[in-house]
Amino acid sequence: MNLICFMVLLIFGVNTNEPKTCNVGNRTENIFFHSTNVQNVALEISETLQILNCTWNDDQCYVECTFVNLTTNFTKRLVKEYNSITDQIISVFRISEQETICNITKCASDMISKLIYESSNSPDLRHLKRPTKIKKMCSRLFTSNSTIKKDYIRAEKKYIDSLIGVNFDGPSKNYDLEEFNMTVVKMDRMNTTDLGLVHISAPKAGDDLPLDVFLPNESFIYMTVVTYPCNNIFINDPKTMLKSKVIRVETVGHETKHLSERLVINFTVKSEIIITENHRLSCLFYNVDATAGQEWDDMGSFTNLENFNSSNSVICSYDHMTPFAVLLVDMNVAQIDRQQWKTLSTISYIGCSLSSFFSAVTIFLYTFMKSSNKDTSIHIHVSLSAAVFLLNISFLFTEWGATLSQNIACVLIAVIIEYSLLSCFSWMAIEAIHLYFLLIKVFNIHMKHYMIKLSLFGWGLPAVLVGGSLCAYGSTPFYGTTEIKLSDTNEAMKLCWITDIHFLYGMNIGYFSIMFLFNMSILVTVTCQIYKRQCMKVSGSKLPSCKDIYTVLGLTFLLGMTWGLAFLTSGHTNYPVLYLFCISNTLQGLFLFLWFYATTKNRRIKEKSSTVFEPTGAQVKTCESKFTQ
């Protein structure tokens, strides 16, 4: 009996006694052991066919044998060959006069990946099922290796496709397998809903939460719905919070992307889920080709939470067919992977360095200018350059300050960044106010201590706001070391910045929004004035000239309109917008320098042209004498 149990176990599949998060069935205790040590390989077999452990140098291994005559008696086991290159042992079980060859493969990433790939490309249904047995015996590898998981999911799709192709009678067929439950339906025999969708109830798996699927009634002949009793294979990041079953919808022989009719799934989530302002439920799909840590994506997905409060129901619709689920998404977790973070950091540091240099050059040139050339516009431009210089310099130390043991240093850097950022916003608003007085309010308005009042607003108001937050720092620490978690790794980047999310949105976002809307209205008004002036020309082109285009473009940077790109980077990261935001705003000091240089150059040209036609004192006296005569 021991021989029969051992050989059936090797040929038809095994279950490991590794601890699992998902319980997919009862496991019996080990009754009979057959242990041997050859090349540090140990086999542990249960007579009840519930356990087969294979260890190789304290690691797991996969065992597979060919068919044998189970009526003969087992006599001895011999090791015939060991391949050190492939980490594989070929064992020979001698049964009377017959020999049965068994392959023992170490659960190494490269070898197991090769086995899964070879199995998935076989037309034999038994070979297509092999990855399921490999997953059981190499459970540790599947727990820690995301690449192996993705190889398994790809192979599983081919196994599912092969089951779809099996002929059956009736409108549908159910498969109740250990790894998943599956229902195959014939679309031409199903009744459709009022919306033209085919409704089926997903097969039960794991829990009793109802799950309704509405399939698009296109030119598909067969479609299948798969559910899983255990979702661990789809979790590569411990921060992933699945709140529903994982359901897989597949078909064969047709394109499964860009469906003309959307696939609709009515998920029922657990009743204890509480949605907060920092978390939200989202309909996502599993992208097996995505970078590690970014497999769950919302592209082509739509989330409807209208029935959530009444029935804990989340209605999801998709324009493609893949594995789907409802996840609880942390709104505070960065959606940037490590490589993108490095690239953006490099761009930011280079841009801030250049911006700091040209801002310093602007301040230096202003210091040695003639006092007669220092009008109010130049004062405002230089004040904005000074605020940008302070912001860029303090930003260069934000990561370095987070590495210091003294938290007071990081708090100081965060406070300087906050003050300089609010000062930049204030001086951008002052640029818009002054532009309004020059171009829109064209009357000669005299205001006493005009520059002093502007400076009190540009430098004083941010000081009051930051000083007030520091007064409350004892009870609520607004500044210090904050972490940004990257999406494809467990690492967290530490920065010196605002630690309270409510303070960040209330202060920075609110302050910037007011400035942005005001400056935007001024920019639109000025642009309309330029267009009207161009249209009033009697001759020539009515289109804006290059000079007008450059003026509007320069005002866009001068008034801080490029900071508005931040509104387009919320949710899942839009990398093109994020790169554009970093490049344009870290180089703001350079743009201010070019604007300052162009303004002073035009002023000098106008002064030279006015001195050419200005009469001297002798010429004035001669003209006066001739006039009196």
Side-chain angles (χ1 to χ4, degrees), residues 402-440:
T403 61
L404 300 178
S405 58
Q406 297 295 329
N407 187 50
I408 187 62
C410 193
V411 171
L412 179 61
I413 294 174
V415 169
I416 295 175
I417 294 176
E418 174 70 354
Y419 173 72
S420 57
L421 182 62
L422 295 181
S423 297
C424 286
F425 294 158
S426 299
W427 283 106
M428 291 173 191
I430 291 173
E431 291 277 10
I433 294 172
H434 188 66
L435 185 64
Y436 173 79
F437 287 150
L438 289 178
L439 301 180
I440 310 301

Side-chain angles (χ1 to χ4, degrees), residues 357-376:
F357 171 77
F358 284 102
S359 297
V361 171
T362 302
I363 298 172
F364 176 80
L365 294 177
Y366 171 78
T367 304
F368 292 95
M369 282 180 61
K370 294 180 181 180
S371 58
S372 59
N373 293 330
K374 296 179 180 179
D375 63 356
T376 304

